[in-house]
Coordinates of all heavy atoms in Angstrom, one line a residue:
A1 N 0.8 -1.2 0.0 CA 0.0 0.0 0.0 C 0.9 1.2 0.0 O 1.8 1.3 0.8 CB -0.9 0.0 1.2
D2 N 0.6 2.2 -0.9 CA 1.4 3.4 -1.0 C 0.6 4.5 -0.2 O -0.1 5.2 -0.8 CB 1.6 3.8 -2.4 CG 2.6 4.9 -2.6 OD1 2.9 5.6 -1.6 OD2 3.2 5.0 -3.7
L3 N 0.9 4.5 1.1 CA 0.1 5.4 2.0 C 0.5 6.9 1.7 O -0.3 7.8 1.9 CB 0.3 5.0 3.4 CG -0.4 3.7 3.8 CD1 0.0 3.2 5.2 CD2 -1.9 3.8 3.7
A4 N 1.8 7.1 1.3 CA 2.2 8.5 1.0 C 1.4 9.0 -0.2 O 0.9 10.1 -0.2 CB 3.7 8.5 0.8
L5 N 1.2 8.1 -1.2 CA 0.4 8.5 -2.4 C -1.0 8.7 -1.9 O -1.7 9.7 -2.3 CB 0.5 7.4 -3.5 CG -0.4 7.7 -4.7 CD1 0.0 8.9 -5.4 CD2 -0.4 6.5 -5.6
G6 N -1.5 7.8 -1.1 CA -2.9 7.9 -0.6 C -3.1 9.3 0.1 O -4.2 9.9 -0.1
A7 N -2.2 9.7 1.0 CA -2.4 10.9 1.7 C -2.4 12.1 0.7 O -3.1 13.0 0.9 CB -1.2 11.1 2.7
Q8 N -1.5 12.0 -0.3 CA -1.4 13.1 -1.3 C -2.7 13.2 -2.1 O -3.2 14.3 -2.3 CB -0.2 12.8 -2.2 CG 0.1 13.8 -3.3 CD 1.1 13.2 -4.3 OE1 2.1 12.6 -3.9 NE2 0.8 13.4 -5.6
I9 N -3.2 12.1 -2.5 CA -4.5 12.1 -3.3 C -5.6 12.6 -2.4 O -6.5 13.4 -2.8 CB -4.8 10.6 -3.7 CG1 -3.8 10.1 -4.7 CG2 -6.2 10.6 -4.4 CD1 -3.7 10.9 -6.0
F10 N -5.6 12.2 -1.1 CA -6.7 12.6 -0.2 C -6.6 14.1 -0.1 O -7.7 14.8 -0.2 CB -6.5 11.9 1.2 CG -7.7 12.3 2.1 CD1 -8.8 11.5 2.1 CD2 -7.6 13.3 2.9 CE1 -9.9 11.8 2.9 CE2 -8.7 13.7 3.8 CZ -9.8 12.9 3.8
N11 N -5.5 14.7 0.2 CA -5.4 16.1 0.4 C -5.7 16.9 -0.8 O -6.3 18.0 -0.7 CB -4.0 16.4 0.9 CG -3.7 15.9 2.3 OD1 -4.7 15.8 3.2 ND2 -2.5 15.5 2.6
G12 N -5.4 16.3 -2.0 CA -5.7 17.1 -3.2 C -7.1 16.9 -3.8 O -7.5 17.8 -4.5
N13 N -7.8 15.9 -3.4 CA -9.1 15.6 -4.0 C -10.3 15.4 -3.0 O -11.4 15.7 -3.4 CB -9.0 14.3 -4.8 CG -8.0 14.5 -5.9 OD1 -8.4 15.0 -7.0 ND2 -6.8 14.0 -5.7
C14 N -10.0 15.0 -1.8 CA -11.1 14.6 -0.9 C -11.2 15.6 0.3 O -12.3 15.8 0.8 CB -10.8 13.2 -0.3 SG -10.1 12.1 -1.5
A15 N -10.1 16.2 0.7 CA -10.1 17.1 1.8 C -11.1 18.3 1.7 O -11.5 18.8 2.7 CB -8.7 17.6 2.2
A16 N -11.4 18.7 0.5 CA -12.3 19.8 0.2 C -13.6 19.5 1.0 O -14.2 20.4 1.6 CB -12.6 19.9 -1.2
C17 N -14.1 18.2 1.0 CA -15.3 17.9 1.8 C -15.0 17.0 3.0 O -15.9 16.9 3.9 CB -16.2 17.1 0.9 SG -16.8 18.0 -0.6
H18 N -13.8 16.5 3.1 CA -13.5 15.5 4.2 C -12.3 15.9 5.0 O -11.5 15.1 5.5 CB -13.3 14.1 3.6 CG -14.5 13.5 3.0 ND1 -15.6 13.2 3.7 CD2 -14.7 13.1 1.7 CE1 -16.5 12.6 2.9 NE2 -16.0 12.6 1.7
Q19 N -12.1 17.3 5.2 CA -11.0 17.8 6.0 C -11.0 17.1 7.3 O -12.0 17.1 8.0 CB -11.1 19.3 6.1 CG -10.1 20.0 6.9 CD -8.8 20.1 6.1 OE1 -8.8 20.5 5.0 NE2 -7.7 19.9 6.8
G20 N -9.9 16.6 7.7 CA -9.7 16.0 9.1 C -10.6 14.8 9.3 O -10.9 14.4 10.4
G21 N -11.1 14.1 8.2 CA -11.9 12.9 8.3 C -13.4 13.3 8.5 O -14.2 12.4 8.7
R22 N -13.7 14.6 8.4 CA -15.1 15.0 8.7 C -15.8 15.0 7.3 O -15.3 14.6 6.3 CB -15.1 16.4 9.3 CG -14.5 16.4 10.7 CD -14.6 17.7 11.4 NE -13.8 18.7 10.7 CZ -12.5 19.0 10.9 NH1 -11.9 18.3 11.8 NH2 -11.9 19.9 10.2
N23 N -17.1 15.4 7.4 CA -17.9 15.5 6.2 C -18.6 16.9 6.2 O -19.4 17.2 7.0 CB -18.9 14.4 6.1 CG -19.6 14.3 4.8 OD1 -19.9 15.3 4.1 ND2 -19.9 13.1 4.3
A24 N -18.2 17.7 5.2 CA -18.7 19.1 5.2 C -20.1 19.2 4.6 O -20.7 20.2 4.7 CB -17.7 20.0 4.3
V25 N -20.6 18.1 4.0 CA -21.9 18.1 3.3 C -23.0 17.5 4.2 O -24.0 18.1 4.4 CB -21.8 17.4 1.9 CG1 -23.2 17.5 1.2 CG2 -20.7 18.0 1.1
I26 N -22.7 16.3 4.7 CA -23.6 15.6 5.6 C -22.8 15.2 6.8 O -22.0 14.3 6.9 CB -24.1 14.3 4.9 CG1 -24.8 14.6 3.6 CG2 -25.1 13.6 5.9 CD1 -25.4 13.4 2.9
A27 N -23.0 16.1 7.9 CA -22.1 16.1 9.0 C -21.8 14.7 9.6 O -20.7 14.4 10.0 CB -22.6 17.1 10.1
E28 N -22.9 13.9 9.8 CA -22.7 12.6 10.5 C -22.0 11.6 9.7 O -21.5 10.6 10.2 CB -24.1 12.1 11.0 CG -25.1 11.7 9.8 CD -26.0 12.8 9.4 OE1 -25.6 14.0 9.5 OE2 -27.0 12.5 8.8
K29 N -21.9 11.8 8.3 CA -21.2 10.8 7.5 C -19.7 11.0 7.4 O -19.2 11.3 6.3 CB -21.9 10.7 6.1 CG -23.3 10.1 6.2 CD -24.0 9.9 4.9 CE -25.3 9.2 5.1 NZ -25.9 8.9 3.8
T30 N -19.1 10.9 8.6 CA -17.6 11.2 8.6 C -16.9 10.0 8.1 O -17.5 9.0 7.7 CB -17.2 11.4 10.1 OG1 -17.3 10.2 10.8 CG2 -18.1 12.5 10.8
L31 N -15.5 10.1 8.1 CA -14.7 9.0 7.8 C -14.1 8.3 9.0 O -13.1 7.6 9.0 CB -13.5 9.5 6.9 CG -14.0 10.2 5.6 CD1 -12.8 10.6 4.8 CD2 -15.0 9.5 4.8
D32 N -14.8 8.4 10.1 CA -14.5 7.6 11.3 C -15.0 6.2 11.2 O -16.0 6.0 10.5 CB -15.1 8.3 12.6 CG -14.5 9.6 12.9 OD1 -13.3 9.8 12.6 OD2 -15.2 10.5 13.5
K33 N -14.4 5.3 11.9 CA -14.7 3.9 11.8 C -16.2 3.6 12.1 O -16.9 2.9 11.3 CB -13.9 3.0 12.7 CG -14.1 1.6 12.6 CD -13.2 0.8 13.6 CE -13.5 -0.7 13.5 NZ -13.2 -1.4 14.8
A34 N -16.7 4.2 13.1 CA -18.1 4.0 13.5 C -19.1 4.5 12.4 O -20.1 3.8 12.2 CB -18.4 4.7 14.9
A35 N -18.8 5.6 11.8 CA -19.7 6.1 10.8 C -19.6 5.3 9.5 O -20.6 5.0 8.9 CB -19.3 7.6 10.4
L36 N -18.4 4.8 9.2 CA -18.2 3.9 8.0 C -19.0 2.6 8.3 O -19.6 2.1 7.4 CB -16.8 3.6 7.7 CG -16.0 4.9 7.3 CD1 -14.5 4.6 7.2 CD2 -16.5 5.4 6.0
E37 N -18.9 2.1 9.5 CA -19.6 0.8 9.8 C -21.1 1.1 9.6 O -21.9 0.2 9.2 CB -19.3 0.4 11.2 CG -17.9 -0.2 11.4 CD -17.5 -0.5 12.8 OE1 -18.2 0.1 13.7 OE2 -16.6 -1.3 13.0
Q38 N -21.6 2.3 10.0 CA -23.0 2.5 9.9 C -23.5 2.9 8.5 O -24.6 2.5 8.1 CB -23.3 3.7 10.9 CG -24.8 4.0 11.0 CD -25.1 5.0 12.1 OE1 -24.2 5.4 12.9 NE2 -26.4 5.4 12.2
Y39 N -22.8 3.7 7.8 CA -23.3 4.3 6.6 C -22.7 3.8 5.3 O -23.3 3.9 4.2 CB -23.1 5.8 6.6 CG -23.8 6.5 7.7 CD1 -23.1 7.2 8.7 CD2 -25.2 6.5 7.8 CE1 -23.7 7.9 9.7 CE2 -25.8 7.2 8.8 CZ -25.1 7.8 9.8 OH -25.7 8.5 10.8
L40 N -21.5 3.3 5.3 CA -20.8 2.9 4.0 C -21.4 1.6 3.5 O -21.5 0.6 4.2 CB -19.3 2.7 4.2 CG -18.5 2.4 3.0 CD1 -18.5 3.5 2.0 CD2 -17.0 2.1 3.4
D41 N -21.9 1.6 2.2 CA -22.5 0.4 1.6 C -21.4 -0.6 1.5 O -20.3 -0.4 0.9 CB -23.0 0.7 0.2 CG -24.2 1.7 0.3 OD1 -25.0 1.7 1.3 OD2 -24.4 2.5 -0.7
G42 N -21.6 -1.8 2.1 CA -20.6 -2.9 2.1 C -19.8 -3.0 3.3 O -19.0 -3.9 3.5
G43 N -20.0 -2.0 4.2 CA -19.3 -2.1 5.5 C -17.9 -1.5 5.6 O -17.5 -0.9 4.6
F44 N -17.3 -1.7 6.7 CA -16.0 -1.0 6.9 C -14.8 -1.9 6.4 O -14.3 -2.8 7.1 CB -15.8 -0.8 8.4 CG -14.5 -0.2 8.8 CD1 -14.0 1.0 8.2 CD2 -13.6 -0.8 9.7 CE1 -12.8 1.6 8.6 CE2 -12.4 -0.3 10.0 CZ -12.0 0.9 9.5
N45 N -14.5 -1.7 5.1 CA -13.4 -2.5 4.5 C -12.9 -1.7 3.3 O -13.6 -0.8 2.7 CB -13.8 -3.9 4.1 CG -15.0 -3.9 3.1 OD1 -14.8 -3.7 1.9 ND2 -16.2 -4.2 3.6
V46 N -11.7 -2.0 2.8 CA -11.1 -1.3 1.7 C -11.9 -1.4 0.4 O -12.1 -0.4 -0.3 CB -9.7 -1.7 1.5 CG1 -9.1 -1.1 0.2 CG2 -8.8 -1.4 2.7
Q47 N -12.5 -2.5 0.1 CA -13.2 -2.7 -1.1 C -14.5 -1.8 -1.2 O -14.8 -1.3 -2.2 CB -13.7 -4.2 -1.3 CG -12.7 -5.1 -2.0 CD -12.0 -4.4 -3.2 OE1 -12.7 -3.9 -4.1 NE2 -10.7 -4.5 -3.2
A48 N -15.1 -1.7 0.0 CA -16.3 -0.8 0.0 C -16.0 0.7 -0.2 O -16.7 1.4 -0.8 CB -17.0 -1.0 1.4
I49 N -14.8 1.1 0.4 CA -14.3 2.4 0.1 C -14.0 2.7 -1.3 O -14.4 3.7 -1.9 CB -13.1 2.8 1.0 CG1 -13.5 2.7 2.5 CG2 -12.6 4.2 0.7 CD1 -12.3 2.7 3.5
I50 N -13.3 1.7 -1.9 CA -13.0 1.8 -3.4 C -14.3 1.9 -4.2 O -14.4 2.8 -5.1 CB -12.2 0.5 -3.8 CG1 -10.8 0.6 -3.3 CG2 -12.2 0.4 -5.4 CD1 -10.0 -0.7 -3.5
Y51 N -15.3 1.1 -3.9 CA -16.6 1.2 -4.6 C -17.2 2.6 -4.5 O -17.6 3.1 -5.6 CB -17.5 0.1 -4.1 CG -18.8 0.1 -4.9 CD1 -18.9 -0.7 -6.0 CD2 -19.9 0.9 -4.6 CE1 -20.1 -0.8 -6.8 CE2 -21.0 0.9 -5.3 CZ -21.1 0.1 -6.5 OH -22.3 0.1 -7.2
Q52 N -17.2 3.1 -3.3 CA -17.8 4.5 -3.2 C -17.0 5.5 -3.9 O -17.5 6.5 -4.5 CB -18.0 4.8 -1.8 CG -18.6 6.2 -1.6 CD -19.6 6.4 -0.5 OE1 -20.2 5.5 0.0 NE2 -19.8 7.6 -0.1
V53 N -15.7 5.4 -3.9 CA -14.8 6.4 -4.6 C -15.0 6.3 -6.1 O -15.1 7.3 -6.8 CB -13.4 6.2 -4.2 CG1 -12.5 7.1 -5.0 CG2 -13.2 6.6 -2.7
E54 N -15.1 5.1 -6.6 CA -15.2 4.9 -8.0 C -16.6 5.4 -8.5 O -16.7 5.9 -9.6 CB -15.1 3.4 -8.4 CG -13.6 3.0 -8.3 CD -13.4 1.5 -8.7 OE1 -14.4 0.7 -8.6 OE2 -12.3 1.1 -9.1
N55 N -17.6 5.1 -7.7 CA -19.0 5.3 -8.2 C -19.7 6.6 -7.7 O -20.7 7.0 -8.2 CB -19.9 4.1 -7.9 CG -19.4 2.9 -8.7 OD1 -19.6 2.8 -9.9 ND2 -18.6 2.0 -8.0
G56 N -19.2 7.1 -6.6 CA -19.8 8.2 -5.9 C -21.1 7.7 -5.2 O -21.4 6.6 -5.2
K57 N -21.7 8.7 -4.5 CA -23.0 8.3 -3.8 C -23.6 9.7 -3.4 O -23.0 10.5 -2.7 CB -22.7 7.5 -2.5 CG -23.9 7.1 -1.8 CD -23.6 6.3 -0.5 CE -24.8 6.0 0.3 NZ -24.4 5.3 1.6
G58 N -24.9 9.9 -3.7 CA -25.5 11.1 -3.3 C -24.8 12.3 -3.9 O -24.4 12.4 -5.1
A59 N -24.4 13.2 -3.0 CA -23.7 14.5 -3.3 C -22.2 14.2 -3.5 O -21.5 15.2 -3.9 CB -23.9 15.5 -2.3
M60 N -21.7 13.0 -3.3 CA -20.3 12.8 -3.5 C -20.0 12.3 -4.9 O -20.6 11.4 -5.4 CB -19.8 11.7 -2.5 CG -18.3 11.3 -2.8 SD -17.6 10.3 -1.5 CE -16.4 9.4 -2.4
P61 N -19.2 13.0 -5.6 CA -18.9 12.7 -7.0 C -18.1 11.4 -7.2 O -17.5 10.9 -6.3 CB -18.1 13.9 -7.5 CG -17.4 14.5 -6.3 CD -18.4 14.2 -5.2
A62 N -18.2 10.8 -8.4 CA -17.5 9.6 -8.7 C -16.1 10.0 -9.2 O -15.9 11.1 -9.8 CB -18.2 8.8 -9.8
W63 N -15.1 9.2 -8.9 CA -13.7 9.5 -9.2 C -13.1 8.6 -10.3 O -11.9 8.8 -10.6 CB -12.9 9.5 -7.9 CG -13.3 10.5 -7.0 CD1 -14.3 10.4 -6.0 CD2 -12.9 11.9 -6.9 NE1 -14.6 11.6 -5.4 CE2 -13.7 12.5 -5.9 CE3 -12.0 12.7 -7.6 CZ2 -13.6 13.9 -5.6 CZ3 -11.9 14.0 -7.3 CH2 -12.7 14.6 -6.3
S64 N -13.8 7.7 -10.8 CA -13.2 6.7 -11.7 C -12.6 7.3 -13.0 O -11.7 6.7 -13.6 CB -14.2 5.5 -12.0 OG -15.4 6.1 -12.4
D65 N -13.2 8.4 -13.4 CA -12.6 9.0 -14.6 C -11.6 10.1 -14.3 O -11.0 10.7 -15.2 CB -13.7 9.6 -15.5 CG -14.7 10.5 -14.8 OD1 -14.5 10.7 -13.6 OD2 -15.5 11.1 -15.5
R66 N -11.3 10.4 -13.0 CA -10.4 11.4 -12.6 C -9.1 10.9 -11.9 O -8.1 11.5 -11.9 CB -11.1 12.4 -11.7 CG -12.0 13.4 -12.5 CD -12.7 14.3 -11.6 NE -13.9 13.8 -11.1 CZ -14.8 14.5 -10.4 NH1 -14.5 15.7 -10.0 NH2 -15.9 14.0 -10.0
L67 N -9.3 9.7 -11.3 CA -8.1 9.1 -10.6 C -7.9 7.7 -11.2 O -8.8 7.1 -11.7 CB -8.4 8.9 -9.1 CG -8.7 10.2 -8.3 CD1 -9.1 9.9 -6.9 CD2 -7.4 11.1 -8.3
S68 N -6.6 7.3 -11.2 CA -6.2 6.0 -11.8 C -6.6 4.9 -10.7 O -6.9 5.2 -9.6 CB -4.7 5.9 -12.0 OG -4.0 5.9 -10.8
E69 N -6.6 3.7 -11.2 CA -6.9 2.6 -10.3 C -5.9 2.6 -9.1 O -6.3 2.3 -8.0 CB -6.8 1.2 -11.0 CG -8.0 0.5 -11.2 CD -7.8 -0.8 -12.0 OE1 -7.3 -1.7 -11.4 OE2 -8.2 -0.8 -13.2
E70 N -4.7 2.8 -9.4 CA -3.6 2.8 -8.4 C -3.9 3.9 -7.4 O -3.7 3.7 -6.2 CB -2.2 3.1 -9.1 CG -1.1 3.0 -8.1 CD 0.2 3.6 -8.6 OE1 0.2 4.1 -9.8 OE2 1.2 3.5 -7.9
E71 N -4.3 5.1 -7.9 CA -4.6 6.2 -7.0 C -5.8 5.9 -6.1 O -5.8 6.3 -4.9 CB -4.8 7.5 -7.8 CG -3.5 8.0 -8.4 CD -3.7 9.1 -9.4 OE1 -4.8 9.2 -10.1 OE2 -2.8 9.9 -9.6
I72 N -6.8 5.3 -6.7 CA -8.0 5.0 -5.9 C -7.7 3.9 -4.8 O -8.1 4.1 -3.7 CB -9.2 4.5 -6.8 CG1 -9.7 5.7 -7.7 CG2 -10.3 3.9 -6.1 CD1 -10.7 5.4 -8.8
Q73 N -6.9 2.9 -5.2 CA -6.5 1.9 -4.3 C -5.8 2.6 -3.1 O -6.0 2.3 -1.9 CB -5.6 0.9 -5.0 CG -5.0 -0.2 -4.1 CD -6.0 -1.4 -3.8 OE1 -6.8 -1.7 -4.7 NE2 -6.0 -1.9 -2.7
A74 N -4.8 3.5 -3.4 CA -4.0 4.1 -2.4 C -4.8 5.0 -1.5 O -4.6 5.0 -0.3 CB -2.9 4.9 -3.1
V75 N -5.8 5.8 -2.0 CA -6.5 6.7 -1.2 C -7.5 5.8 -0.3 O -7.7 6.2 0.9 CB -7.2 7.8 -2.0 CG1 -8.5 7.3 -2.7 CG2 -7.6 9.0 -1.1
A76 N -8.0 4.7 -0.8 CA -8.9 3.9 0.0 C -8.2 3.3 1.1 O -8.7 3.2 2.3 CB -9.6 2.8 -0.9
E77 N -7.0 2.8 0.9 CA -6.2 2.2 2.0 C -5.8 3.2 3.0 O -5.8 3.0 4.2 CB -4.9 1.5 1.4 CG -5.3 0.2 0.6 CD -4.1 -0.5 0.1 OE1 -3.0 -0.3 0.5 OE2 -4.4 -1.4 -0.8
Y78 N -5.5 4.4 2.5 CA -5.2 5.5 3.5 C -6.4 5.9 4.4 O -6.3 5.9 5.6 CB -4.8 6.8 2.7 CG -4.6 8.0 3.5 CD1 -3.5 8.2 4.3 CD2 -5.6 9.0 3.5 CE1 -3.4 9.3 5.1 CE2 -5.4 10.2 4.2 CZ -4.3 10.3 5.0 OH -4.2 11.4 5.8
V79 N -7.6 6.0 3.8 CA -8.8 6.3 4.5 C -9.1 5.2 5.5 O -9.4 5.4 6.7 CB -10.0 6.5 3.6 CG1 -11.3 6.5 4.4 CG2 -9.9 7.8 2.8
Y80 N -8.9 3.9 5.1 CA -9.2 2.8 5.9 C -8.3 2.8 7.2 O -8.7 2.6 8.3 CB -9.0 1.4 5.2 CG -9.3 0.2 6.0 CD1 -10.5 -0.3 6.2 CD2 -8.2 -0.4 6.7 CE1 -10.8 -1.3 7.0 CE2 -8.4 -1.5 7.5 CZ -9.7 -2.0 7.7 OH -9.9 -3.0 8.5
K81 N -7.0 3.0 6.9 CA -6.0 3.0 8.0 C -6.2 4.2 9.0 O -6.2 4.0 10.2 CB -4.6 3.1 7.4 CG -3.5 2.9 8.4 CD -2.1 2.7 7.7 CE -1.0 2.2 8.6 NZ -0.5 3.4 9.4
Q82 N -6.5 5.3 8.4 CA -6.8 6.5 9.3 C -8.0 6.2 10.2 O -8.0 6.5 11.4 CB -7.1 7.7 8.5 CG -5.9 8.3 7.7 CD -4.9 9.0 8.6 OE1 -3.9 8.4 8.9 NE2 -5.3 10.1 9.2
A83 N -9.0 5.5 9.6 CA -10.2 5.2 10.4 C -9.9 4.1 11.4 O -10.3 4.2 12.6 CB -11.4 4.8 9.5
A84 N -9.2 3.1 11.0 CA -9.0 1.9 11.8 C -8.2 2.3 13.0 O -8.3 1.8 14.1 CB -8.2 0.8 11.0
E85 N -7.3 3.3 12.8 CA -6.3 3.7 13.9 C -6.8 5.0 14.6 O -6.1 5.5 15.5 CB -4.9 3.9 13.3 CG -4.4 2.6 12.8 CD -3.0 2.8 12.2 OE1 -2.5 3.9 12.1 OE2 -2.4 1.7 11.7
A86 N -8.1 5.4 14.3 CA -8.6 6.7 14.8 C -7.5 7.8 14.8 O -7.3 8.5 15.7 CB -9.0 6.5 16.3
A87 N -7.0 7.9 13.6 CA -5.8 8.8 13.3 C -6.2 10.1 12.7 O -5.3 10.9 12.4 CB -4.8 8.1 12.5
W88 N -7.4 10.4 12.4 CA -7.8 11.7 11.8 C -7.5 12.8 12.8 O -7.7 12.7 14.0 CB -9.3 11.7 11.4 CG -9.7 10.7 10.4 CD1 -10.5 9.7 10.5 CD2 -9.3 10.8 9.0 NE1 -10.7 9.0 9.3 CE2 -9.9 9.7 8.4 CE3 -8.5 11.6 8.2 CZ2 -9.8 9.4 7.0 CZ3 -8.3 11.3 6.9 CH2 -9.0 10.2 6.3
Ligands
HEM101 C1 -19.1 10.0 1.9 C2 -14.5 9.0 0.7 C3 -14.4 13.1 -2.0 C4 -18.8 14.2 -0.4 C5 -17.9 9.4 1.8 C6 -17.5 8.1 2.4 C7 -16.2 7.8 2.1 C8 -15.8 8.9 1.3 C9 -15.4 6.6 2.5 C10 -18.4 7.3 3.3 C11 -18.6 8.0 4.7 C12 -19.8 7.6 5.5 O1 -20.7 7.1 4.9 O2 -19.7 7.8 6.7 C13 -14.1 10.0 -0.1 C14 -12.8 10.0 -0.8 C15 -12.8 11.1 -1.6 C16 -14.0 11.8 -1.4 C17 -11.7 9.0 -0.6 C18 -11.7 11.6 -2.6 C19 -11.3 10.7 -3.6 C20 -15.5 13.8 -1.7 C21 -15.8 15.1 -2.1 C22 -17.0 15.5 -1.7 C23 -17.5 14.3 -1.0 C24 -14.8 16.0 -2.9 C25 -17.8 16.7 -1.9 C26 -17.9 17.3 -3.1 C27 -19.3 13.2 0.3 C28 -20.7 13.0 0.8 C29 -20.8 11.8 1.4 C30 -19.4 11.2 1.3 C31 -21.8 14.0 0.6 C32 -22.0 11.1 2.0 C33 -22.7 10.3 0.8 C34 -24.0 9.8 1.2 O3 -24.0 8.7 1.9 O4 -25.0 10.3 0.8 N1 -16.8 9.9 1.2 N2 -14.8 11.1 -0.5 N3 -16.6 13.3 -1.0 N4 -18.6 12.0 0.7 FE1 -16.7 11.6 0.1

């Protein structure tokens, strides 16, 4: 997992709405483990994060035409690790 790449992708593309692991659009849908367990389709795992990043959901845009597979994998692993370790 390229966590440095993941952090870079996150800061450049996701932090606009998810600064500090929060959610600027729907406050309760944070990137904390408990919120991901509750709201993320497919549960708290890397594949489910990849799916949402690729396809979007509600007001969150899809990234499959803007980020490469490698970048999406890296940002999903970064989000998962930050949530798993309560590191936001
Ligand atoms: C939800 C990741 C970019 C808006 C989420 C969730 C994840 C995620 C994992 C699920 C959180 C939960 O349900 O508790 C990412 C990543 C991004 C990104 C990795 C960058 C590639 C953005 C941007 C916006 C945004 C730029 C705003 C324009 C939202 C919204 C939700 C959400 C509104 C809630 C969707 C719903 O359930 O209706 N995001 N996000 N996201 N994100 Fe993002």
Side-chain angles (χ1 to χ4, degrees):
D2 192 338
L3 291 169
L5 176 63
Q8 182 192 315
I9 297 299
F10 187 87
N11 291 327
N13 299 275
C14 319
C17 295
H18 295 295
Q19 180 77 43
R22 296 184 293 274
N23 191 322
V25 183
I26 303 179
E28 66 271 24
K29 293 189 173 180
T30 71
L31 306 184
D32 291 331
K33 185 180 176 206
L36 295 174
E37 285 172 343
Q38 186 173 352
Y39 299 116
L40 182 64
D41 294 330
F44 179 55
N45 60 77
V46 173
Q47 272 318 309
I49 298 171
I50 289 173
Y51 184 88
Q52 178 145 338
V53 172
E54 285 181 340
N55 296 284
K57 181 182 176 185
M60 174 167 154
W63 297 88
S64 49
D65 54 356
R66 282 179 272 187
L67 297 175
S68 70
E69 246 179 75
E70 184 196 5
E71 289 170 331
I72 290 173
Q73 178 82 34
V75 78
E77 290 183 12
Y78 172 76
V79 167
Y80 180 84
K81 187 165 191 287
Q82 290 290 106
E85 297 178 358
W88 294 115

